[in-house]
Amino acid sequence: MQQAAQLSYKRSENANPTSTPSHVLRAISSVHQEEDAQILPGLGKPRQKHLLDKFDVLAVLGSSLCFVAAFVTVSPLSSVPWRLGVTRQFQVLGVLMSLMNQCLLRIAPQFLVLIEACFGPSYLQNFDAILRKSVTTSGTSIFWRVVLLALLVLPIGLSVAYKEFDHGSSRVPSANATGSFYGMTGPLGLQKSEGNGLGLSFMANATIEYYNTAFNANSTPPTFPQTYGFNTLVQSNTSSAKLDGPFPDYVKAIQAKLTTADSFWLDADVNGTVTTYNKSIESHRNNTEFWDFYLSMLPQDPGNNKITFNDSDIVQKLEGMNLYNNNTLQLLMNGLQIRNTSWAFVTFTPNPPHSMPDSDQKKKLGQDFRRSAMLFHTRRERCHGTWRITYNSIQLIKGTCQEHSLPDDAQICFSNSTQAIPQFYMPSLLEYLGPFSKERRESPWLLPTFATVLAGAFWSRAVVLDGYFGWSNNNTVANDLVFRQSVYYLVQDSAISIRPTMNASPALYATLVVQPALAIVFLLGSACMYGVPIDKGFGMIAFLAGVRVETLKLLKGASISGEVIRPLRVRILSWKNQNDDDDNNNKGSTQNEYVLEDDSGNFAFSSKGHHLLPSSHRVWTALRAGLGVGKNSDVRYDKVIS
């Protein structure tokens, strides 16, 4: 001992350690090892292998709870997605996915180590790569490189995948807090002009979307029912409606609460102005009584007490405008008198030759008009509409009408009024209907366009003459509400707030459940391999505590590089300690010994010097031996006798 101390002291005083002879260093090392064996107690903490590690169980529970939270975050079954919005959903899912990945990484190494020990070649390099989660560890098999790379890429791929589901929406019912008044009104921002106005701006606004669709569709037939713009509903090939809409101040109050991405749906039972083509004219073109019925409702010249009318009389009541393509748009309806204005005859007639006498021209014009005129009736009906409101727009997206007229008192705005449509609207009618005079005469859009344009004319005139354009300054309806309930009224509508959220598709749920599912599989898989004598604590300390010292010579030269030139197998010898005098009360605990084997065919020796079988004839894991796999299947443990 004194000699060893002197040698150690001399080495510490020597500035150049390389000057100390190697045999001296070995002598010092041998002395220290003998001293450590006699003085240092065993600090290892023995235990039996657990079927399931409690922290692994907690990790699985945590991952499962994270999935439940992620499910609630995206599921349309709750209002959580609507409250979060798509941006907050991404943030919440990002945190939850990271937590699920940490839980998976807690469980994965133990499962993969057991797989290598149970079914793999049990290489030291593979164990090292798995525990370090390193794809680039030298000597690692290709299989484990792929598996470890997959675990590395998995969270990155999932984080990219869930962000692809960003085109969904969530909706929640919304309480109506500002009142729900509907009626004959234009959209927000389009108000009645000074001097009562004519209504042309309302008609243009309500018709422009249909106009663009109809004249860009060419020969493509329309579909029914179809909505356009603020309140246009084309019900069929022969019927079109202008629905009463929500009041501008009501819409403004809703829009004030919306962001650029939000929308608001209003669902309400309202009245509508419906214009329908009357097919009965086809069987009454030469019926004098039919024409007398309508002509008698027109204002008559003083002293004219006619009961029957001829073609010349019809011509005198026509309002026409030349299209300068050898055709004239002709309109027959009440104009400036307070009468029934709910009907209108419309057609295109060819211009008669100028050389023809006036009487013959009138007769021919009357005949042409009767042969081709289309009869449309306009009435108020009960309808149902759904509007979509954004921060800067409102649009009718769905609607139906009952096709039954409202009572007579609701029809007064058309049955006993002065519309003056022929006087004020002929240029607009010519603009909308003119293209059908020649080149589009056989278009499937002809009848729907005539019905829609005439409905727009009747509705816009009624809006200007009888409609209501807003609330007073104290947000109360004007006193004349009771006198004008046919044109504006209180509605108990329903409102739904819609917000962009993630698209909760099955693919999104599959993306979220990948990591929790793998965590459960890994935990159950580890439990199924309980017979393999490797526990959760397997790592550097466990390996150093149980490695057979003489086999460490196979690692000579790898203290810095950590690499060996050939794969090394690890044989695991497991037994229960029966010694009463062992340190730390180790009696009854399971002990492992890790024996390194050269895969090239070199032999290893037991602690008693017994020659073991070469690697090509050995069973490398205790579980294999216990399951009866391999030629040494009758051996469960290698007993080490001290």
Side-chain angles (χ1 to χ4, degrees):
M1 294 290 293
Q2 184 178 2
Q3 181 182 6
Q6 292 175 353
L7 289 173
S8 177
Y9 173 74
K10 290 180 179 180
R11 182 183 179 190
S12 64
E13 290 182 337
N14 195 341
N16 184 6
T18 59
S19 62
T20 305
S22 60
H23 67 279
V24 175
L25 294 177
R26 285 195 297 270
I28 294 173
S29 176
S30 175
V31 171
H32 280 297
Q33 288 179 4
E34 293 176 0
E35 291 178 347
D36 291 343
Q38 298 172 5
I39 299 174
L40 296 179
L43 300 179
K45 183 178 180 181
R47 73 172 188 185
Q48 298 290 340
K49 180 179 179 179
H50 296 159
L51 178 63
L52 294 175
D53 182 79
K54 62 180 180 180
F55 291 107
D56 285 355
V57 175
L58 291 176
V60 170
L61 291 177
S63 183
S64 301
L65 290 176
C66 287
F67 170 72
V68 172
F71 180 88
V72 174
T73 300
V74 301
S75 174
L77 300 177
S78 70
S79 62
V80 173
W82 180 87
R83 296 180 184 279
L84 291 176
V86 66
T87 301
R88 297 297 185 194
Q89 280 184 303
F90 283 158
Q91 294 172 347
V92 172
L93 287 187
V95 173
L96 295 176
M97 295 284 278
S98 297
L99 293 176
M100 285 188 278
N101 182 56
Q102 292 302 313
C103 293
L104 180 63
L105 293 179
R106 161 73 192 184
I107 301 170
Q110 169 73 2
F111 174 74
L112 300 182
V113 163
L114 291 173
I115 290 291
E116 171 67 13
C118 184
F119 302 105
S122 195
Y123 285 153
L124 178 65
Q125 291 91 329
N126 290 344
F127 287 130
D128 185 38
I130 292 171
L131 295 175
R132 291 167 55 190
K133 305 181 185 69
S134 173
V135 179
T136 60
T137 301
S138 174
T140 307
S141 65
I142 295 179
F143 172 78
W144 287 115
R145 290 185 192 274
V146 173
V147 171
L148 294 173
L149 181 62
L151 286 177
L152 178 65
V153 173
L154 179 64
I156 301 174
L158 294 177
S159 66
V160 173
Y162 80 81
K163 293 183 178 67
E164 295 297 318
F165 302 92
D166 60 343
H167 299 297
S169 62
S170 295
R171 57 190 64 192
V172 295
S174 178
N176 183 358
T178 59
S180 307
F181 283 91
Y182 289 71
M184 284 188 168
T185 178
L188 179 64
L190 190 64
Q191 305 300 321
K192 182 175 65 173
S193 61
E194 294 294 333
N196 243 6
L198 301 178
L200 295 175
S201 59
F202 288 97
M203 179 180 177
N205 179 272
T207 310
I208 187 64
E209 185 172 338
Y210 173 86
Y211 181 84
N212 289 335
T213 303
F215 288 93
N216 290 325
N218 296 323
S219 60
T220 304
T223 57
F224 308 107
Q226 187 64 50
T227 58
Y228 302 90
F230 169 65
N231 65 342
T232 299
L233 169 64
V234 183
Q235 301 185 91
S236 67
N237 191 48
T238 58
S239 180
S240 186
K242 299 289 184 179
L243 273 59
D244 292 355
F247 273 13
D249 287 348
Y250 179 36
V251 176
K252 185 177 181 180
I254 293 173
Q255 289 180 330
K257 303 175 183 178
L258 301 180
T259 66
T260 56
D262 295 345
S263 62
F264 205 84
W265 285 22
L266 292 177
D267 207 60
D269 292 319
V270 297
N271 298 335
T273 301
V274 183
T275 299
T276 305
Y277 172 63
N278 191 337
K279 299 178 182 179
S280 66
I281 191 176
E282 301 298 337
S283 59
H284 293 93
R285 294 196 180 278
N286 296 317
N287 187 331
T288 303
E289 294 181 358
F290 175 83
W291 290 99
D292 290 345
F293 173 79
Y294 287 99
L295 290 173
S296 63
M297 288 189 286
L298 296 176
Q300 305 298 321
D301 296 331
N304 186 353
N305 296 319
K306 282 187 177 182
I307 299 177
T308 61
F309 300 87
N310 55 35
D311 290 338
S312 297
D313 294 324
I314 294 177
V315 173
Q316 292 177 2
K317 305 301 181 182
L318 293 179
E319 295 286 347
M321 181 168 285
N322 195 343
L323 278 76
Y324 297 99
N325 62 357
N326 200 34
N327 285 277
T328 299
L329 175 64
Q330 302 288 359
L331 184 64
L332 178 63
M333 64 178 299
N334 183 52
L336 297 174
Q337 300 296 321
I338 300 178
R339 292 175 180 269
N340 187 343
T341 61
S342 63
W343 55 270
F345 291 90
V346 187
T347 191
F348 298 104
T349 59
N351 297 334
H354 292 290
S355 58
M356 184 180 293
D358 289 346
S359 59
D360 293 339
Q361 288 186 16
K362 291 181 179 181
K363 184 177 180 180
K364 182 180 185 306
L365 180 57
Q367 293 174 347
D368 292 339
F369 183 83
R370 285 205 301 174
R371 272 196 299 267
S372 61
M374 293 173 285
L375 174 61
F376 293 88
H377 281 277
T378 301
R379 59 189 179 183
R380 297 279 283 168
E381 295 181 1
R382 195 63 176 163
C383 302
H384 183 88
T386 303
W387 283 264
R388 180 177 182 268
I389 301 174
T390 67
Y391 79 103
N392 64 351
S393 68
I394 177 172
Q395 184 172 20
L396 180 69
I397 59 174
K398 185 169 59 175
T400 57
C401 289
Q402 298 177 356
E403 298 186 2
H404 296 290
S405 297
L406 293 172
D408 291 342
D409 59 352
Q411 309 293 340
I412 296 176
C413 57
F414 299 125
S415 63
N416 188 25
S417 64
T418 301
Q419 296 290 329
I421 290 176
Q423 287 72 29
F424 297 144
Y425 279 68
M426 282 302 290
S428 295
L429 296 177
L430 193 69
E431 179 78 17
Y432 295 127
L433 303 178
F436 293 95
S437 62
K438 291 188 69 174
E439 62 271 13
R440 302 194 67 187
R441 201 67 180 258
E442 304 300 325
S443 171
W445 291 85
L446 187 145
L447 272 178
T449 300
F450 271 71
T452 301
V453 170
L454 287 175
F458 279 102
W459 169 81
S460 59
R461 282 298 289 163
V463 169
V464 168
L465 297 176
D466 301 313
Y468 185 75
F469 298 93
W471 298 335
S472 58
N473 293 332
N474 59 358
N475 286 339
T476 60
V477 180
N479 293 330
D480 64 346
L481 173 62
V482 293
F483 304 107
R484 307 175 74 179
Q485 290 183 359
S486 62
V487 291
Y488 50 88
Y489 40 85
L490 182 65
V491 175
Q492 296 301 320
D493 58 3
S494 60
I496 298 176
S497 179
I498 300 177
R499 184 167 293 172
T501 58
M502 297 182 68
N503 180 20
S505 66
L508 175 59
Y509 294 127
T511 301
L512 298 177
V513 81
V514 168
Q515 294 186 111
L518 286 177
I520 294 173
V521 170
F522 288 177
L523 182 67
L524 296 179
S526 299
C528 291
M529 291 182 284
Y530 175 72
V532 179
I534 293 180
D535 202 5
K536 188 68 179 180
F538 182 74
M540 180 180 291
I541 294 177
F543 185 80
L544 292 177
V547 66
R548 184 173 294 177
V549 177
E550 58 268 25
T551 64
L552 288 177
K553 294 179 179 180
L554 293 172
L555 300 178
K556 185 177 181 180
S559 60
I560 298 297
S561 66
E563 299 179 4
V564 292
I565 59 177
R566 286 192 299 270
L568 293 179
R569 293 183 186 271
V570 179
R571 185 175 188 187
I572 305 171
L573 307 177
S574 182
W575 71 94
K576 287 186 179 296
N577 192 353
Q578 303 298 331
N579 294 336
D580 294 329
D581 57 349
D582 206 355
D583 295 335
N584 293 342
N585 297 320
N586 288 347
K587 182 178 180 181
S589 64
T590 301
Q591 299 293 320
N592 284 349
E593 184 177 25
Y594 304 105
V595 182
L596 298 180
E597 303 270 344
D598 186 355
D599 199 36
S600 65
N602 295 332
F603 297 119
F605 295 87
S606 69
S607 59
K608 295 298 183 179
H610 299 301
H611 185 266
L612 300 178
L613 293 174
S615 59
S616 59
H617 297 284
R618 306 259 312 285
V619 177
W620 295 106
T621 63
L623 181 60
R624 282 183 174 179
L627 295 176
V629 180
K631 295 185 178 181
N632 259 11
S633 59
D634 57 324
V635 180
R636 177 61 183 90
Y637 300 105
D638 279 356
K639 302 297 183 180
V640 178
I641 303 173
S642 58

